Amino acid sequence: MISITDYINMKADKFEEKVANGYSLCSCDSLRFNEGNLPDYRYYIVQDLYAMRYDLAYAHEYKVMYTEMLESLKPGAILEVTSLGCGNMVDYWSLKRVLPANCRVSYHGVDVIDWDDKFAACKGDKIDFSLQYISDYLYDCDELESDVYVFPKSISEIDDDEVEGICRAIYEKGFAKDEVHLLFSMRENKYNQDLDMAKTKKICAAVKEVGMLLESSTLYKGVEKMVYNCGKDFAIDELQDTYNLLNNLPYMCDNYIIGHCSCDLCEKNRNQPMLKTHYIRFQIVKFRKVA
């Protein structure tokens, strides 16, 4: 499997190619989350920039998340995982870093955007992808058959109508497995985290309604540390060229003239990589079928 640093550097190379071929940096202005904004992930150049900024941090967060999950889930020969809002499937990369070598993965990715450069399946694993809304995907299932349902930084981007659709699908389908884990990766800001957890509460209530007993629910918070101090997977030395590129984005913009850039994205230079671990917030909820 490709290293996370090689993957990010590959995305940086693609980003530079797009800019050299006439893509405007100003088209990346949607890559911001302030004041309720959401990025327009349909543009591959936005996906490239997103990966450069966030994938190291998210790969680490999901690695921690799956490690914690494995404290209560003892996988057999095959672990079935459904990733709801999977993006480029970086959570699959993280899962493979912590899963026992003899355990294969059947991974179902679901997203309304067909992300470029999704992580490929390792030997013996199976990956499929559904270009759908999450609620539509769940409705199309005969039964919810996975061991794990993960929302990798997606719960914050799902609106209330979609949450209601997810809950209705759960009511209608039910779960095949006797034990199910739900994983929610959320935002660190207290106000936003409260909004995210209001959604997780509704989804968990729907799971209980179909005969699943809540066995445990734990919220994990990141410590004060730098991602690049969290193991050899996250070596920052290998990313210096990519991070230098992020620092120099204002000077590459067509609107940069004599020390000033009129482009809002570049002027405020909101493109620093996420490298601190205190932002980490995820919830692991374990359910068991009532006998």
Side-chain angles (χ1 to χ4, degrees):
M1 174 178 267
I2 188 172
S3 72
I4 192 63
T5 49
D6 283 350
Y7 178 86
I8 293 169
N9 285 331
M10 176 268 292
K11 296 297 279 182
D13 290 342
K14 289 197 167 188
F15 180 87
E16 285 192 288
E17 288 173 10
K18 291 180 179 68
V19 173
N21 288 327
Y23 281 82
S24 169
L25 281 177
C26 300
S27 65
C28 297
D29 191 40
S30 75
L31 187 54
R32 50 196 169 95
F33 299 89
N34 61 314
E35 299 175 356
N37 290 298
L38 291 176
D40 192 341
Y41 299 120
R42 294 173 299 174
Y43 297 104
Y44 286 161
I45 193 170
V46 173
Q47 295 179 15
D48 294 340
L49 185 56
Y50 183 93
M52 292 157 62
R53 289 181 61 186
Y54 295 113
D55 268 6
L56 192 74
Y58 289 166
H60 168 64
E61 177 174 357
Y62 303 150
K63 187 177 177 182
V64 175
M65 182 175 67
Y66 280 123
T67 299
E68 293 290 344
M69 181 197 73
L70 291 173
E71 290 293 315
S72 64
L73 186 159
K74 305 305 178 186
I78 298 176
L79 183 68
E80 192 156 2
V81 177
T82 298
S83 184
L84 301 167
C86 63
N88 63 358
M89 301 183 177
V90 67
D91 68 298
Y92 169 73
W93 179 93
S94 301
L95 177 62
K96 292 298 293 182
R97 301 302 295 173
V98 300
L99 202 62
N102 62 345
C103 180
R104 300 306 177 197
V105 179
S106 179
Y107 179 99
H108 313 283
V110 184
D111 208 301
V112 293
I113 302 295
D114 190 3
W115 285 63
D116 198 22
D117 301 314
K118 293 187 286 292
F119 283 85
C122 295
K123 184 178 180 181
D125 289 351
K126 176 186 175 184
I127 285 181
D128 57 60
F129 173 72
S130 296
L131 184 63
Q132 288 180 280
Y133 285 100
I134 294 168
S135 57
D136 291 341
Y137 170 82
L138 296 176
Y139 269 114
D140 287 346
C141 296
D142 293 329
E143 195 173 23
L144 306 183
E145 297 182 341
S146 286
D147 303 288
V148 180
Y149 291 86
V150 55
F151 291 78
K153 287 293 184 224
S154 57
I155 194 69
S156 61
E157 300 189 13
I158 297 171
D159 63 27
D160 291 339
D161 288 342
E162 179 70 347
V163 171
E164 292 298 330
I166 291 168
C167 292
R168 286 194 298 271
I170 291 172
Y171 294 142
E172 199 168 297
K173 302 298 179 177
F175 293 90
K177 299 293 176 63
D178 290 336
E179 183 178 295
V180 177
H181 283 71
L182 270 61
L183 280 54
F184 303 95
S185 175
M186 298 176 290
R187 294 172 289 183
E188 175 268 339
N189 174 275
K190 181 64 169 61
Y191 172 76
N192 290 327
Q193 185 186 140
D194 288 345
L195 294 176
D196 292 346
M197 291 197 70
K199 299 174 187 178
T200 73
K201 185 177 180 180
K202 288 182 178 179
I203 293 170
C204 289
V207 177
K208 288 190 282 187
E209 283 290 323
V210 295
M212 303 294 285
L213 178 68
L214 176 63
E215 192 162 294
S216 62
S217 177
T218 309
L219 177 66
Y220 295 85
K221 299 181 180 181
V223 298
E224 287 290 342
K225 201 171 182 180
M226 303 302 288
V227 174
Y228 50 77
N229 290 327
C230 296
K232 60 182 181 180
D233 281 330
F234 310 107
I236 196 171
D237 290 346
E238 300 172 17
L239 293 168
Q240 285 303 325
D241 289 344
T242 290
Y243 290 161
N244 288 337
L245 173 62
L246 289 176
N247 288 329
N248 289 321
L249 284 186
Y251 314 113
M252 297 168 60
C253 183
D254 292 338
N255 292 319
Y256 181 80
I257 302 173
I258 315 176
H260 175 73
C261 185
S262 61
C263 168
D264 187 47
L265 174 83
C266 299
E267 182 186 18
K268 296 182 180 179
N269 196 16
R270 293 191 292 256
N271 293 289
Q272 296 302 305
M274 182 181 284
L275 294 176
K276 295 182 179 180
T277 64
H278 69 78
Y279 70 89
I280 292 176
R281 295 292 186 278
F282 62 83
Q283 183 183 16
I284 297 178
V285 188
K286 180 180 179 180
F287 290 95
R288 189 175 296 279
K289 191 170 288 186
V290 177

